């Protein structure tokens, strides 16, 4: 396996960064999880835009244009002969000292691109849907670490994931600081009710899959698409619930906190959207 590391393609064994890297020491950096489908990197430009927005807010200069970053992703896929796969693009603050002051990293970030095969939820969960719970750890306050930042500091989500693991379920619903549903640990959340598709407005990452699904629901299924504050009560009483993310795509949810959602089976809107989503993943992106 070849890894892109600071402009070079190196063997996996040689793809190493310093123990003084501030991504390791402090979670000081940004990342993207991206997917390629049959030689198309799905919405790569949008992923790169989001990465650069995170870096802009974190005052990290990648030293590369967006065009160069896109070319680097494609180069890494080609070097690994991957037409389909999962890409992890990581930008760390770079090598500093043991203090947290980012100035010590001298504006030289480490840029890493890993392209690998994708690991998915088991098929059974797509067929039967997920049973998930709300966990005590709430999503970061926007003025602490804004959930829009896809930073390397994922402890907030990891704590919630641990709580899901402890509860014996595959995912966790996280609330925002006001008690409204925000998102899951690595996925956005949607509900269907009365010909409307609803998804949380605040406290969540603006997922690339989320955007794509909202467009498809509006244009192809003519659903009303609403971004708003949503309570757990509304989710419990939805007709359908599903999660979206680069890795999971769309995955149905059939139980939340012990409450059966709708019929308790993956719903028709979820299944239609999944089919439509599969169609666009092979068209909408950077071809290579
Ligand atoms: N919310 C959060 C907090 C995320 O991290 C999404 C939503 C979905 O966004 P996209 O753009 O992928 O539709 C993410 C995605 C994992 C994992 O192992 C998830 C993500 C990144 C890395 C790993 O579940 N992020």
């Amino acid at each position: 396996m070849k890894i892109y590391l600071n402009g070079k393609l190196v063997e996996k064994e040689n793809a190493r960064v310093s123990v003084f890297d501030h991504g390791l020491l402090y979670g000081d950096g940004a990342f993207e999880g991206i997917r390629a489908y049959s030689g198309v990197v799905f919405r790569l430009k949008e992923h790169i835009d989001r990465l650069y927005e995170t870096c802009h807010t974190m005052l990290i200069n990648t030293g590369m244009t967006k065009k160069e970053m896109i070319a680097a992703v494609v180069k890494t896929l080609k070097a690994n002969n991957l037409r389909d796969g999962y890409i992890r693009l990581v930008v760390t603050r770079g090598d500093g000292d043991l203090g947290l002051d980012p100035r010590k990293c001298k504006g030289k970030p480490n840029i890493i691109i890993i392209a690998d095969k994708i690991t998915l939820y088991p098929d059974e969960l797509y067929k039967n849907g997920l049973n998930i719970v709300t966990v005590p750890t709430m999503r970061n306050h926007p003025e602490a670490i804004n959930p829009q930042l896809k930073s390397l500091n994922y402890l907030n989500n990891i704590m919630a994931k641990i709580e899901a693991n402890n509860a014996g379920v595959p995912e966790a619903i996280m609330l925002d600081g006001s008690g409204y549903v925000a998102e899951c640990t690595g996925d956005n959340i949607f509900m269907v009710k009365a010909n409307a598709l609803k998804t949380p407005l605040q406290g969540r990452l603006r997922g690339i899959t989320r955007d794509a699904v909202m467009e498809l629901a509006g244009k192809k299924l003519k659903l009303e698409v609403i971004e708003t504050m949503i309570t757990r009560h509304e989710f419990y009483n939805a007709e359908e619930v599903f999660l979206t993310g680069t890795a999971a795509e769309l995955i149905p949810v059939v139980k939340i906190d012990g409450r059966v959602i709708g019929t308790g089976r993956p719903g028709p809107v979820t299944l239609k959207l999944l089919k439509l989503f599969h169609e666009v993943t092979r068209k909408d992106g950077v071809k290579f």
Side-chain angles (χ1 to χ4, degrees):
M1 182 193 279
K2 294 254 196 306
I3 312 285
Y4 177 100
L5 178 61
N6 298 328
K8 294 201 182 82
L9 285 164
V10 297
E11 279 305 325
K12 186 180 170 185
E13 294 71 29
N14 302 325
R16 307 216 174 268
V17 293
S18 164
V19 293
F20 289 93
D21 179 283
H22 275 209
L24 172 67
L25 290 176
Y26 297 112
D28 186 0
F31 79 103
E32 282 295 321
I34 309 166
R35 251 176 107 164
Y37 293 88
S38 309
V40 177
V41 191
F42 180 63
R43 296 207 166 179
L44 179 55
K45 287 195 183 80
E46 289 81 351
H47 278 284
I48 299 300
D49 285 344
R50 186 170 69 182
L51 178 74
Y52 276 65
E53 285 192 3
T54 298
C55 288
H56 180 71
T57 293
M58 293 179 71
L59 288 168
I60 292 176
N61 181 349
T62 64
M64 292 167 76
T65 64
K66 288 184 184 178
K67 238 177 140 178
E68 287 166 343
M69 195 61 89
I70 286 169
V73 169
V74 168
K75 193 169 146 183
T76 310
L77 281 163
K78 282 187 172 162
N80 289 286
N81 290 317
L82 286 170
R83 306 288 292 160
D84 294 83
Y86 184 76
I87 301 128
R88 178 59 56 89
L89 172 43
V90 180
V91 177
T92 79
R93 180 80 61 188
D95 305 348
D97 64 14
L98 292 180
L100 61 78
D101 191 338
R103 289 176 297 189
K104 294 290 165 57
C105 302
K106 300 193 163 58
K108 277 177 63 185
N110 284 315
I111 299 182
I112 301 159
I113 306 172
I114 308 166
D116 203 352
K117 296 248 181 311
I118 178 99
T119 45
L120 297 169
Y121 279 123
D123 249 3
E124 190 265 325
L125 293 179
Y126 286 89
K127 273 197 210 106
N128 297 327
L130 304 177
N131 169 20
I132 63 177
V133 297
T134 310
V135 296
T137 297
M138 64 175 79
R139 200 68 177 91
N140 282 326
H141 189 283
E143 295 308 329
I145 298 173
N146 193 314
Q148 301 292 5
L149 299 180
K150 209 156 162 56
S151 86
L152 292 181
N153 190 321
Y154 252 53
L155 189 56
N156 181 213
N157 310 59
I158 291 164
M159 295 299 275
K161 190 78 179 180
I162 290 168
E163 288 158 355
N165 292 345
N166 287 345
V169 296
E171 251 303 346
I173 290 182
M174 303 179 76
L175 305 180
D176 69 14
S178 306
Y180 293 96
V181 170
E183 61 180 337
C184 292
T185 66
D187 292 303
N188 291 111
I189 188 164
F190 285 86
M191 58 169 276
V192 177
K193 183 132 185 178
N195 282 322
L197 183 71
K198 284 181 161 187
T199 192
L201 171 68
Q202 58 182 35
R204 82 304 178 260
L205 180 75
R206 185 170 161 195
I208 307 280
T209 319
R210 177 183 182 275
D211 277 353
V213 165
M214 287 166 68
E215 282 170 33
L216 289 170
K219 283 192 195 135
K220 304 272 181 183
L221 300 187
K222 308 287 177 215
L223 295 175
E224 190 186 358
V225 180
I226 306 167
E227 289 181 88
T228 183
M229 283 130 86
I230 313 174
T231 59
R232 282 190 300 150
H233 171 71
E234 287 174 85
F235 271 98
Y236 296 158
N237 290 288
E239 292 158 15
E240 299 178 36
V241 174
F242 61 86
L243 311 182
T244 65
T246 296
E249 301 182 320
L250 270 83
I251 189 156
V253 172
V254 294
K255 201 182 250 190
I256 301 174
D257 301 330
R259 280 78 163 183
V260 173
I261 307 303
T263 62
R265 300 290 309 160
V269 174
T270 306
L271 298 176
K272 269 185 223 156
L273 283 170
L274 180 58
K275 188 163 173 283
L276 290 169
F277 182 73
H278 278 159
E279 288 165 17
V280 299
T281 50
R282 279 135 189 98
K283 289 187 207 141
D284 185 359
V286 173
K287 295 184 181 56
F288 65 99

